[in-house]
């Protein structure tokens, strides 16, 4: 079938390759903290201003050496250029859809919004502390979860002392919100 008759998708094809938890919901915004935005923008600028020109120079030099079919520098360089260009497209699209949210505007409040650090109790009595961040900045090894994760969706808009329902594959789990914190204005967030 001709591409002329195929309807284009609204989201980036590179986004489809990501695990479901890292995809931006269709038509949704890409919420992130100012620090997360700065980090992604820094990576994009590094790729554009430093890494890509360096690889282009290597590929150009390798191409001038003659036979390209067995030229490792040329073949590896072309492959690396494709990877860099794919990452540049991905970062550009993520940053275009970015909605920068400063969590410190909620400092002192007890309701859960984007950027909150929440301590909750599980039914077995254990306590868990998570920080709700953007898809591209959350790191589960540091206790950070994406705002689209099931846990974050259960916690959002609830208050300290509330019990919320978390739907899991094993069934419904009730979580009690013990504490909600936000960074102080002017202080860096947990991102």
């Amino acid at each position: 079938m001709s591409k002329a008759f195929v309807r284009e998708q609204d989201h980036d094809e590179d986004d489809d390759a990501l695990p479901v938890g890292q995809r931006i919901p269709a038509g949704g915004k890409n919420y992130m903290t100012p620090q997360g935005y700065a980090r992604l923008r820094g990576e994009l600028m590094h790729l554009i201003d430093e890494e890509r020109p360096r690889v282009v120079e290597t590929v150009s030099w390798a191409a001038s050496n003659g036979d390209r079919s067995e030229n490792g520098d040329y073949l590896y360089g072309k492959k690396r250029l494709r990877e860099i260009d794919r990452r540049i497209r991905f970062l550009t699209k993520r940053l275009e859809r970015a909605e920068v949210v400063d969590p410190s505007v909620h400092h002192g409040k007890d309701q859960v919004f984007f950027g909150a650090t929440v301590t909750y109790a599980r039914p077995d009595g254990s306590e868990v502390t998570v920080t709700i961040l953007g898809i591209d900045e959350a790191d589960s090894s540091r206790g950070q979860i994406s705002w689209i994760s099931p846990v974050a969706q259960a916690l959002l808009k609830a208050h300290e002392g509330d019990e919320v329902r978390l739907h899991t594959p094993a069934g419904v789990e009730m979580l009690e919100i013990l504490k909600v914190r936000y960074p102080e204005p002017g202080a860096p967030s947990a991102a």
Side-chain angles (χ1 to χ4, degrees):
M1 174 182 280
S2 169
K3 281 191 167 193
F5 298 106
V6 178
R7 184 175 174 174
E8 294 286 328
Q9 296 291 330
D10 288 341
H11 54 282
D12 183 19
E13 62 190 35
D14 295 335
D15 205 36
D16 290 339
L18 294 173
V20 174
Q22 293 178 353
R23 295 182 198 164
I24 299 172
K29 297 193 185 229
N30 186 18
Y31 294 104
M32 62 179 62
T33 62
Q35 295 81 9
Y37 184 87
R39 187 177 47 79
L40 283 186
R41 182 155 168 62
E43 180 184 352
L44 177 63
M45 292 297 97
H46 172 74
L47 289 172
I48 291 171
D49 296 339
E50 296 174 31
E51 191 164 351
R52 191 175 195 289
R54 186 174 56 244
V55 174
V56 166
E57 186 178 320
T58 301
V59 169
S60 177
W61 168 80
S64 70
N65 288 337
D67 185 13
R68 296 176 185 171
S69 65
E70 294 182 17
N71 186 329
D73 288 329
Y74 178 81
L75 296 173
Y76 172 76
K78 292 295 281 184
K79 178 181 180 210
R80 182 67 187 130
L81 271 178
R82 285 190 300 274
E83 292 167 355
I84 290 169
D85 289 342
R86 185 178 308 117
R87 184 68 179 166
I88 288 172
R89 276 192 317 275
F90 174 79
L91 291 171
T92 300
K93 288 186 182 283
R94 287 294 181 126
L95 291 169
E96 284 173 356
R97 291 180 67 183
E99 181 76 25
V100 180
V101 178
D102 184 1
S104 68
V105 300
H106 299 293
H107 180 72
K109 297 183 180 164
D110 73 343
Q111 189 172 10
V112 180
F113 294 109
F114 178 85
T117 298
V118 182
T119 301
Y120 62 88
R122 299 185 60 185
D124 64 6
S126 63
E127 291 184 8
V128 178
T129 300
V130 296
T131 301
I132 301 170
L133 296 175
I135 297 166
D136 299 309
E137 51 189 335
D139 179 357
S140 60
S141 69
R142 295 175 53 196
Q144 301 167 341
I145 60 174
S146 163
W147 67 274
I148 65 168
S149 70
V151 173
Q153 290 296 303
L155 296 172
L156 285 170
K157 297 192 179 170
H159 293 267
E160 278 184 18
D162 288 352
E163 281 196 12
V164 296
R165 293 173 168 267
L166 172 63
H167 296 276
T168 69
V172 176
E173 195 174 305
M174 296 301 291
L175 307 177
E176 181 185 356
I177 300 174
L178 303 174
K179 186 171 184 168
V180 178
R181 296 185 327 266
Y182 292 95
E184 291 186 29
S189 73

